[in-house]
Amino acid sequence: MQSGQVLQQRYQLQTVLGKTQGRQTWLATDLTNQSSVVVKLLVQNPQLQWQDIKLFEREATVLKNLQHPRIPRYQDAFSLDTPEGSDLPWFGLVQDYLPGTTLQKLLESDARITEKQARAIALETLQILIYLHELNPPVLHRDIKPSNLLIGQDQHIYLIDFGAVQNRVKAERSTMTVVGTYGYTPLEQFRGQTVPASDLYALGATLIHLLTGVAPADLPQKKLKIQFADLVSLSPNFRTWLEILIEPTLEHRFITARQALQTLQTGINKPLKSISQPLGSRVKLQSSPHQIIVKLPAPKIRILSMSLTLALMFALFLLLRVLTFLSDFMSPIIFYAISSLWIVWGIILIYNIIRYLSLLRYQFVQFNKTQFIIEKQIYGICYHRQKRPISDLQAVQQSVQKSQAQSFLPQSGKTELDIVTLQTAKQTYNIGIELTASECAWLAQEINDWLKLIK
């Protein structure tokens, strides 16, 4: 590609803004309205892999559905004709051009920011992350760093470069595609288990880089935690807030961007206790120094889905009655065929009865100082019970599960269900099927807090 070249008979390339292996970013002119745009190109080369194409397509798909004033607006996506001798086409993505300076440019000029400036950057970035993380499904950026945060001419912060973006297909259920930048990427992301708190870690590492002038990868570590306090003078509250952001252990970090923002604004650094039970939650929790008992509600019955199912079953019943009556005047083969249809109808009926009975089950989880117990009950009758020593419990955390795994549950249109996982060395136990993400964050907090007390 070269300056002056016109793509799609519309976008005239002007200046290279960035260039990495397999990718080029150009400032271009949209000839239809003479506006400036950014054109990102995935360029055919021998090192190009299929995963690169998938990431590029995912970026375009996600950006197309984002509407936020601090995220460059998607305009267009296209593929170029396959150049001669190449096996794959080139791909293009067009976004609004935002004039400004990246925070990386400030670092390259040896500039450092003050605590006041760091707070302002954090506040605006967290507001963007709240928008992304609270979408359904949540969107994870996965590559927050100084070069991907831009100070616009209006002095506001913009989040750019969604090349590593991912809809929240969790961790243990997804393929091991590790993206991110060393020094800004938390441990769970290297394991392919990216969560919203992973973006918070990257933000914390970015702020530390801006405050100290030293890249996070070059700072000393103690028990895998970045050590920065001796290099910069900060107020105790802000330093503690930053330390919570970069906790290597996920359970010790802020869980949501909203929680991190509220804590920064109030100055009260309570990384877990600041999460309260969401309004309208039907989860019942009883806690004492000796035990904690959680009663998890049955999924809500979807009246429309049930009504349609009953109507369909009744219509099939009437149809079969009519066919049965008519079969008396037909050959035996037709009679046996209709009898087989009755058997099929019976199987469908039994399946739907089991399917909707599953909506009446409650889940009870009990923790005491020696063991944890998970029970499933219907009408007070326990039909499944699991018991494990409390010493086997390694982690309790918010997670998601593909909804298809719940074969008897009527689907709500979601491809993923928020859950809380109880992790042991040999097995993972899922509780709280169909809770909201905020309920799962709160419940994981309460269980972790109680476990800390008994230790």
Side-chain angles (χ1 to χ4, degrees):
M1 295 295 172
Q2 57 187 4
S3 179
Q5 187 172 349
V6 178
L7 306 181
Q8 299 297 98
Q9 299 180 340
R10 178 174 178 179
Y11 305 110
Q12 186 174 44
L13 304 182
Q14 303 294 342
T15 308
V16 175
L17 298 177
K19 193 172 185 179
T20 60
Q21 180 175 307
R23 283 180 178 244
Q24 295 180 9
T25 303
W26 286 81
L27 174 63
T29 300
D30 186 343
L31 299 178
T32 62
N33 54 21
Q34 298 303 310
S35 64
S36 295
V37 295
V38 172
V39 176
K40 297 179 67 174
L41 296 171
L42 185 65
V43 181
Q44 166 66 24
N45 67 85
Q47 288 75 41
L48 186 67
Q49 298 179 3
W50 178 248
Q51 188 59 43
D52 297 321
I53 299 174
K54 297 302 291 183
L55 286 171
F56 198 82
E57 289 177 342
R58 180 191 295 163
E59 179 181 7
T61 301
V62 171
L63 283 172
K64 192 173 183 179
N65 295 305
L66 297 183
Q67 297 291 331
H68 192 279
R70 300 289 177 261
I71 297 173
R73 185 172 57 89
Y74 168 95
Q75 289 197 21
D76 191 13
F78 56 86
S79 61
L80 299 174
D81 292 338
T82 305
E84 186 176 351
S86 298
D87 296 326
L88 295 171
W90 292 8
F91 298 94
L93 171 64
V94 184
Q95 293 175 265
D96 284 351
Y97 170 65
L98 299 174
T101 304
T102 66
L103 298 182
Q104 181 64 37
K105 293 292 185 182
L106 294 181
L107 287 169
E108 291 171 0
S109 65
D110 294 327
R112 291 194 190 184
I113 64 172
T114 64
E115 177 177 329
K116 182 179 180 181
Q117 291 171 323
R119 284 176 176 271
I121 292 170
L123 287 169
E124 293 206 2
T125 306
L126 286 170
Q127 288 167 354
I128 301 171
L129 291 179
I130 288 172
Y131 166 76
L132 292 174
H133 293 172
E134 294 185 358
L135 291 171
N136 186 16
V139 170
L140 310 177
H141 188 276
R142 299 201 298 174
D143 198 21
I144 293 175
K145 56 186 177 181
S147 60
N148 288 339
L149 290 172
L150 181 142
I151 302 177
Q153 291 182 341
D154 56 3
Q155 300 304 305
H156 286 296
I157 295 294
Y158 293 81
L159 182 58
I160 61 174
D161 196 347
F162 281 67
V165 70
Q166 183 184 50
N167 282 338
R168 188 176 154 203
V169 175
K170 273 276 179 149
E172 60 272 14
R173 305 292 179 186
S174 63
T175 58
M176 285 290 293
T177 302
V178 178
V179 297
T181 302
Y182 183 69
Y184 305 94
T185 303
L187 291 175
E188 73 273 2
Q189 190 165 324
F190 281 116
R191 296 193 296 265
Q193 299 175 337
T194 311
V195 293
S198 306
D199 281 345
L200 300 182
Y201 181 98
L203 173 60
T206 296
L207 294 173
I208 289 170
H209 192 177
L210 294 167
L211 287 162
T212 64
V214 182
D218 296 330
L219 288 171
Q221 294 189 2
K222 184 177 181 181
K223 295 182 178 180
L224 300 178
K225 186 172 182 178
I226 299 170
Q227 304 297 302
F228 67 93
D230 294 339
L231 298 177
V232 60
S233 178
L234 300 172
S235 65
N237 272 351
F238 189 61
R239 184 181 65 249
T240 301
W241 183 82
L242 274 178
E243 288 174 344
I244 295 171
L245 277 187
I246 58 166
E247 279 286 350
T249 304
L250 192 59
E251 291 77 17
H252 298 163
R253 207 180 305 154
F254 292 117
I255 297 176
T256 66
R258 187 174 295 278
Q259 179 193 7
L261 178 62
Q262 291 172 349
T263 304
L264 179 61
Q265 290 172 327
T266 61
I268 303 173
N269 287 299
K270 294 183 179 180
L272 295 178
K273 288 295 187 182
S274 61
I275 306 177
S276 58
Q277 184 171 9
L279 293 175
S281 172
R282 298 182 296 142
V283 178
K284 309 274 186 199
L285 186 144
Q286 297 177 349
S287 179
S288 73
H290 307 290
Q291 66 178 1
I292 181 171
I293 300 174
V294 183
K295 180 181 179 182
L296 297 159
K300 292 181 179 179
I301 296 177
R302 299 177 182 89
I303 302 300
L304 179 60
S305 174
M306 180 179 286
S307 299
L308 290 174
T309 301
L310 290 174
L312 179 60
M313 293 302 299
F314 184 68
L316 289 173
F317 173 79
L318 292 178
L319 177 61
L320 287 173
R321 285 296 302 269
V322 172
L323 291 175
T324 301
F325 173 76
L326 294 176
S327 68
D328 292 338
F329 308 100
M330 299 179 184
S331 67
I333 294 176
I334 295 178
F335 174 81
Y336 288 125
I338 294 173
S339 298
S340 299
L341 290 176
W342 274 109
I343 294 173
V344 173
W345 182 86
I347 292 172
I348 296 174
L349 178 64
I350 292 170
Y351 168 79
N352 278 288
I353 290 173
I354 295 174
R355 184 171 177 248
Y356 284 104
L357 276 177
S358 69
L359 293 177
L360 302 176
R361 60 102 178 94
Y362 285 80
Q363 196 175 35
F364 289 84
V365 187
Q366 178 181 351
F367 299 82
N368 57 43
K369 294 183 179 180
T370 60
Q371 62 186 2
F372 68 92
I373 302 168
I374 303 173
E375 285 189 1
K376 295 179 181 178
Q377 298 182 5
I378 292 181
Y379 289 117
I381 301 172
C382 177
Y383 67 91
H384 188 262
R385 195 169 195 257
Q386 295 172 297
K387 183 190 299 185
R388 292 291 182 272
I390 198 74
S391 58
D392 287 354
L393 191 58
Q394 295 182 339
V396 179
Q397 63 185 28
Q398 180 187 7
S399 187
V400 296
Q401 176 175 287
K402 288 188 177 181
S403 60
Q404 290 85 344
Q406 301 297 318
S407 58
F408 285 120
L409 289 180
Q411 301 302 312
S412 59
K414 294 182 179 180
T415 58
E416 300 169 342
L417 301 175
D418 288 280
I419 57 174
V420 175
T421 59
L422 311 180
Q423 182 73 51
T424 67
K426 296 182 179 180
Q427 191 171 353
T428 297
Y429 301 90
N430 299 331
I431 63 174
I433 300 297
E434 286 206 341
L435 294 184
T436 64
S438 55
E439 283 180 305
C440 289
W442 164 75
L443 182 56
Q445 161 209 286
E446 293 293 337
I447 296 172
N448 278 307
D449 284 355
W450 187 85
L451 291 172
K452 287 179 184 177
L453 288 176
I454 67 170
K455 291 179 181 178

